[in-house]
DNA sequence: CTAGGGATACGT
DNA sequence: ACGTATCCCTAG
């Protein structure tokens, strides 16, 4: 009894971290209310967010015997070039949120020429990331390219010239009809795969 | 509502 | 069985 136990997905963790980056640590309720993350974090409660964040920071110190090293409190990653992204967002009074600089490599991006046998338009990872970004931004009127870029940069570590790549992909996606471009803003085309969510 | 502590389900 | 990730309950 008690709990079916549902493990967190990467998307949820990413949303949580993005939410913390925006609102700060401890603003669980605020994060949950935020439309950007409420789509992804619909099941977890504010308490769940708190709990998740708690064990996320614990880098397992159950060493066999002596582990005096507080190794983990923060693993500062020497970000090669990426650092202060435009944090033009609400940076109200006390910014308790420390650096949650934990970039995820954006993985392989432009290698979708994988024509295994037929002509199956395999979606590249970037496509999905873009779709996710727009979906999560959830702007009723659509999202500007810069907004999308900013959102993605907050969660991933864009490669060399991400801007150029994004522009190309955006154009490609609107040409394929997966995105609708209106007034220099992009929105998800109707009936797009919405593979997200946990079982209620 | 948020922080902390305790209990329990799941993976190895 | 042990260690770890979630869930549940209580206090501030």
């Amino acid at each position: 009894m008690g709990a079916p136990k549902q493990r967190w997905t990467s998307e949820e963790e990413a949303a949580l971290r993005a939410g913390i980056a925006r609102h700060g640590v401890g603003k669980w309720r605020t994060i949950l209310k935020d439309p950007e993350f409420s789509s992804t974090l619909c099941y977890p409660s504010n308490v769940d967010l708190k709990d998740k964040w708690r064990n996320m920071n614990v880098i397992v110190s159950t060493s066999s015997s002596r582990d005096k090293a507080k190794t983990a409190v923060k693993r500062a990653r020497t970000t090669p070039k990426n650092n202060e992204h435009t944090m033009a967002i609400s940076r109200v009074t006390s910014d308790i949120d420390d650096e949650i600089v934990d970039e995820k490599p954006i993985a392989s991006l432009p290698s979708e020429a994988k024509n295994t046998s037929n002509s199956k338009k395999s979606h590249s990872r970037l496509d999905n990331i873009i779709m996710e970004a727009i979906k999560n931004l959830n702007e009723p009127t659509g999202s500007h390219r810069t907004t999308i870029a900013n959102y993605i940069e907050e969660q991933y570590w864009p490669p060399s010239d991400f801007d150029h790549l994004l522009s190309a992909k955006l154009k490609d996606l609107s040409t394929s009809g997966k995105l609708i471009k209106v007034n220099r803003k992009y929105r998800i085309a109707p009936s797009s795969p919405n593979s997200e969510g946990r079982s209620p």
Side-chain angles (χ1 to χ4, degrees), chain A residues 6-117:
Chain A
Q6 293 206 67
R7 299 266 291 188
W8 280 60
T9 66
S10 309
E11 287 76 20
E12 287 169 329
E13 290 183 9
L16 172 59
R17 289 164 45 167
I20 291 172
R22 270 195 168 66
H23 301 288
V25 176
K27 304 301 190 292
W28 315 118
R29 187 58 141 124
T30 310
I31 296 172
L32 216 54
K33 278 298 196 72
D34 203 315
E36 279 90 336
F37 315 116
S38 57
S39 49
T40 308
L41 304 171
C42 47
Y43 172 69
S45 64
N46 49 342
V47 177
D48 291 322
L49 266 67
K50 187 256 320 177
D51 283 329
K52 179 58 179 175
W53 181 245
R54 174 167 47 174
N55 72 338
M56 247 181 173
N57 269 305
V58 170
I59 298 299
V60 200
S61 17
T62 10
S63 286
S64 330
S65 11
R66 61 224 115 241
D67 102 337
K68 57 278 293 280
K70 263 96 157 301
T71 344
V73 186
K74 294 171 164 210
R75 51 203 147 169
R77 303 240 338 162
T78 10
T79 323
K81 62 221 304 233
N82 163 31
N83 36 41
E84 268 22 52
H85 30 43
T86 37
M87 296 174 112
I89 21 185
S90 53
R91 197 109 207 116
V92 228
T93 45
S94 52
D95 36 314
I96 20 204
D97 61 311
D98 325 316
E99 36 85 59
I100 311 128
V101 201
D102 224 332
E103 342 82 33
K104 283 165 107 170
I106 207 161
S108 46
L109 289 171
S111 341
E112 59 194 288
K114 286 292 172 61
N115 250 18
T116 25
S117 48

Side-chain angles (χ1 to χ4, degrees), chain A residues 29 65 88 98 125 135 169-170 199:
Chain A
R29 187 58 141 124
S65 11
D98 325 316
R125 180 140 153 68
K135 180 168 49 167
K169 258 359 185 158
L170 245 26
S199 45

Side-chain angles (χ1 to χ4, degrees), chain A residues 158-199:
Chain A
S160 34
D161 243 354
F162 175 67
D163 234 24
H164 183 266
L165 230 93
L166 179 60
S167 298
K169 258 359 185 158
L170 245 26
K171 181 183 179 181
D172 196 36
L173 285 171
S174 32
T175 302
S176 340
K178 295 167 122 179
L179 289 182
I180 308 285
K181 181 182 176 187
V182 50
N183 288 342
R184 303 190 78 77
K185 287 187 169 186
Y186 300 87
R187 67 164 59 172
I188 308 247
S191 74
S192 73
N194 197 0
S195 55
E196 190 48 53
R198 188 195 260 280
S199 45

